Amino acid sequence: MKIRKVARSEKEIYKLAGWVWENIKDKVGKEAIVIALSGPLGAGKTTLVKAIAKEMGIKDVVVSPTFILHREYPGLDHIDAWRVEDFLEIERLGLAKMLANKHLVIIEWADKFSEEIKKLSTKDTKIVWVKLEYGKNEIERLITVTHP
């Protein structure tokens, strides 16, 4: 299924995150879910992660793990692949364990490793692709969500 939305504010990005969470929340814990985020710098990838974390009831302050690559929250693993050169670096972060724990794993800059991420899809791991792009002005975002 592919959904395309236009968000004209941060509030609308949070609303979209609520929709994404509603569509996956019953699966998290029963199977691993990977949300693979792509889009240019500043398009709202981390904002979307914050919004999903809020929907999950996570009270921690969610920040981008750009320099440490991985942050863990209850039921959520947040990976930033911006500085990653080889998918093996992501695997070394404990990706197999994250998936085995049936967590929600969100990977920013996932398009760098789209082929490797596609291979993660199994009967126990589902991949949701989210692409954020700039719209007609500084605030507007075009968001495409593709999920099984």
Side-chain angles (χ1 to χ4, degrees), residues 36-40 43 45 107-111 129-133:
L37 298 178
S38 66
K45 293 179 292 296
I107 304 173
E108 294 191 43
W109 301 99
D111 48 321
W129 295 91
V130 180
K131 183 177 184 177
L132 296 102
E133 302 172 277

Side-chain angles (χ1 to χ4, degrees), residues 58-105:
I58 294 172
K59 304 289 185 213
D60 300 350
V61 175
V62 175
V63 295
S64 178
T66 300
F67 294 100
I68 63 168
L69 306 182
H70 173 242
R71 290 190 187 273
E72 185 177 359
Y73 305 96
L76 170 64
D77 286 282
H78 181 193
I79 297 169
D80 190 320
W82 170 256
R83 299 178 49 152
V84 176
E85 296 297 324
D86 186 317
F87 193 71
L88 186 57
E89 290 180 65
I90 292 174
E91 291 175 332
R92 284 186 194 128
L93 294 172
L95 181 61
K97 183 178 179 184
M98 294 173 211
L99 299 177
N101 286 338
K102 298 182 170 47
H103 282 185
L104 174 59
V105 178

Side-chain angles (χ1 to χ4, degrees), residues 1-136:
M1 176 198 291
K2 185 180 271 192
I3 304 288
R4 289 194 172 114
K5 299 277 186 181
V6 176
R8 293 181 178 87
S9 67
E10 189 171 300
K11 182 179 179 180
E12 288 183 8
I13 290 175
Y14 271 73
K15 187 175 179 180
L16 176 73
W19 178 85
V20 170
W21 178 244
E22 282 300 314
N23 281 277
I24 64 171
K25 72 179 183 182
D26 292 337
K27 297 173 185 164
V28 174
K30 296 175 185 155
E31 57 190 44
I33 305 290
V34 175
I35 297 180
L37 298 178
S38 66
L41 191 63
K45 293 179 292 296
T46 302
T47 299
L48 190 65
V49 176
K50 289 177 184 182
I52 291 170
K54 182 179 178 187
E55 289 292 326
M56 292 176 72
I58 294 172
K59 304 289 185 213
D60 300 350
V61 175
V62 175
V63 295
S64 178
T66 300
F67 294 100
I68 63 168
L69 306 182
H70 173 242
R71 290 190 187 273
E72 185 177 359
Y73 305 96
L76 170 64
D77 286 282
H78 181 193
I79 297 169
D80 190 320
W82 170 256
R83 299 178 49 152
V84 176
E85 296 297 324
D86 186 317
F87 193 71
L88 186 57
E89 290 180 65
I90 292 174
E91 291 175 332
R92 284 186 194 128
L93 294 172
L95 181 61
K97 183 178 179 184
M98 294 173 211
L99 299 177
N101 286 338
K102 298 182 170 47
H103 282 185
L104 174 59
V105 178
I106 303 179
I107 304 173
E108 294 191 43
W109 301 99
D111 48 321
K112 291 177 66 175
F113 303 107
S114 59
E115 292 306 312
E116 292 88 343
I117 291 171
K118 286 177 189 175
K119 291 176 185 174
L120 297 174
S121 182
T122 66
K123 68 178 182 74
D124 294 321
T125 302
K126 302 299 181 261
I127 314 296
V128 177
W129 295 91
V130 180
K131 183 177 184 177
L132 296 102
E133 302 172 277
Y134 287 106
K136 295 176 184 175

